[in-house]
Amino acid sequence: GKSTLGKVLEELSMNSDLSLNVISLDDFYYPAKELDKAMYGNPWNVPRGLPGAHSLSDMQSTLDRFVNTGELIAPIFDKSLRNGYGDREGILESQPKVLVIEGWFLGCTPVTDNKTVCDLVNDDIQLNLSNNEREYRLIIQDNLCNYLPIWKMISKLWHIRAEEFQFTSIWKQQQENNMLIDKGSSLSGSELESFVRMISSAIPQKSLQEINADITININLNRR
């Protein structure tokens, strides 16, 4: 629902004097070759989605430019390209008064104690993680540290929080299915199953459910 909410906000802003643009953390995925290299060897074999898949230098320069000049120049990432693996396509240029950024782990901070990460391994549902998943979970925590300067630039953080964490996996399946209908290409079959598994296990669910947000909006399975 993040992208849908973003579209609604942009449409509403067109009827007011408050110009607004919404960009996604996903827009800053590396271009295809760099993205494939960054994602190589992850235990879920996902092509994108993980902390470490984004060009934080591009994101930092984009935000710095907007803050200092009011000019927004941001990449656009199309997830339907390369049979659902995605690639950058185009540039967004604008001068909004308000910039909104959305992302599935936006604002999530690393767990500093490795033992705590292991203690949170099963969370609310029995994941039965493999040794490779456990080890990569620690790599992800290190990667999250690199996102902290970006998080500090956010003036207000809204958390759209699923009442049950497993709802997020269901929504991911719905998103990919809708993209297949709309654009003719998406993750499917075993690739989609692996992506859903990654969402459930890559980051401790407690970290994602307890983000220190200014506003938290709890929603049910039907996004109400």
Side-chain angles (χ1 to χ4, degrees), residues 155-188:
S155 57
K156 293 291 181 182
L157 184 63
W158 293 10
H159 183 192
I160 305 175
R161 182 182 183 275
E163 289 181 347
E164 301 290 340
F165 185 81
Q166 54 265 37
F167 293 170
T168 59
S169 295
I170 297 171
W171 295 334
K172 178 58 184 177
Q173 293 174 348
Q174 292 172 345
Q175 180 195 42
E176 293 293 331
N177 291 336
N178 288 336
M179 187 163 64
L180 180 62
I181 294 171
D182 292 341
K183 297 191 174 183
S185 180
S186 70
L187 296 177
S188 60

Side-chain angles (χ1 to χ4, degrees), residues 44-122:
W44 307 279
N45 199 32
V46 295
R48 48 184 165 80
L50 292 169
H54 307 88
S55 173
L56 297 181
S57 60
D58 286 353
M59 193 169 189
Q60 186 75 59
S61 62
T62 294
L63 296 181
D64 284 341
R65 182 187 293 109
F66 173 72
V67 169
N68 293 324
T69 70
E71 183 181 21
L72 174 63
I73 302 177
I76 298 172
F77 192 90
D78 187 341
K79 296 177 183 177
S80 69
L81 298 178
R82 301 196 301 147
N83 295 317
Y85 278 50
D87 197 1
R88 290 190 181 184
E89 186 178 58
I91 297 289
L92 171 65
E93 296 187 48
S94 182
Q95 290 186 311
K97 290 182 180 178
V98 176
L99 178 61
V100 178
I101 308 170
E102 57 95 352
W104 78 276
F105 64 85
L106 194 141
C108 182
T109 55
V111 179
T112 55
D113 179 19
N114 286 354
K115 182 178 182 299
T116 302
V117 177
C118 294
D119 289 343
L120 293 173
V121 100
N122 282 329

